[in-house]
């Protein structure tokens, strides 16, 4: 089906003017909280930045992926995990205690792409078993053959997974 779901989400967010604008807004907001006394954002500010980004992307500058797959802001564990991934991949050369605008944007893409993919995966894991139970129940009531029920289950599961995958392009 092409590139993976997480790459589709990452590409959608990276190329989105709404996401860029929301990142700039959240970064500026964090700088204003420290009264522009530092050259960047501190790691402890990332949870508030995540909430600010989510609020902006779901109300002020709506992004389709956030509206569909992220009804609430990413968790603290997701914020920390994204921060660790970004700092592990590309450590800062300047002051390691603050995050510059480029690394902040990279963190935001990492955070929101993983949160969207996590929620989409959760949706697949919830929808498929329910549908399979329904198809198996109908197959038992109608006394359909095992091959027909098995094929219907396979087609249904593939359809759900494809539907979710295609919705990840934003």
């Amino acid at each position: 089906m092409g590139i993976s779901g997480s790459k589709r989400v990452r590409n959608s967010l990276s190329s989105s003017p709404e996401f860029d604008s929301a990142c700039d807004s959240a970064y500026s907001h964090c700088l204003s909280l420290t009264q522009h006394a530092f050259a960047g954002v501190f790691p402890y500010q990332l949870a508030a930045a995540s909430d600010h980004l989510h609020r902006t992307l779901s109300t002020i500058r709506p992004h389709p992926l956030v509206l569909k797959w992220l009804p609430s802001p990413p968790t603290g564990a997701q914020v920390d995990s994204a921060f660790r991934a970004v700092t592990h991949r590309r450590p800062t050369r300047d002051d390691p205690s603050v995050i510059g605008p480029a690394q902040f944007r990279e963190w935001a893409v990492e955070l929101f792409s993983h949160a969207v993919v996590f929620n989409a995966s959760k949706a697949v894991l919830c929808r498929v078993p329910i549908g399979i139970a329904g198809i198996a129940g109908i197959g038992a009531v109608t006394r359909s053959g095992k091959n027909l029920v098995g094929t219907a289950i396979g087609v249904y599961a593939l359809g759900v997974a494809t539907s979710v995958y295609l919705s990840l392009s934003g």
Side-chain angles (χ1 to χ4, degrees), residues 49-109:
S50 168
D51 292 344
H52 188 274
L53 275 167
H54 183 268
R55 187 173 44 260
T56 303
L57 291 169
S58 56
T59 57
I60 300 168
R61 294 178 197 93
H63 191 282
L65 289 175
V66 173
L67 290 175
K68 181 166 184 140
W69 295 111
L70 213 51
S72 60
T75 65
Q78 290 171 322
V79 170
D80 294 341
S81 176
F83 176 66
R84 281 191 305 276
V86 168
T87 55
H88 178 71
R89 245 191 334 255
R90 193 178 77 176
T92 58
R93 292 190 177 101
D94 302 329
D95 184 0
S97 65
V98 295
I99 302 157
Q103 196 172 28
F104 182 85
R105 186 173 185 287
E106 187 180 347
W107 163 80
V109 169

Side-chain angles (χ1 to χ4, degrees), residues 9 54 63-73 78 112-124 127 160-170:
V9 172
H54 183 268
H63 191 282
L65 289 175
V66 173
L67 290 175
K68 181 166 184 140
W69 295 111
L70 213 51
S72 60
Q78 290 171 322
F112 277 79
S113 64
H114 281 286
V116 165
V117 170
F118 176 77
N119 284 348
S121 301
K122 215 165 49 170
V124 169
R127 291 177 191 168
V160 169
T162 301
S163 169
V164 169
Y165 173 78
L166 292 175
S167 76
L168 291 177
S169 63

Side-chain angles (χ1 to χ4, degrees), residues 114-153:
H114 281 286
V116 165
V117 170
F118 176 77
N119 284 348
S121 301
K122 215 165 49 170
V124 169
L125 291 176
C126 181
R127 291 177 191 168
V128 169
I130 293 170
I132 288 174
I135 292 169
I138 290 171
V141 168
T142 61
R143 298 185 190 270
S144 300
K146 290 184 216 175
N147 291 339
L148 179 63
V149 172
T151 301
I153 287 172

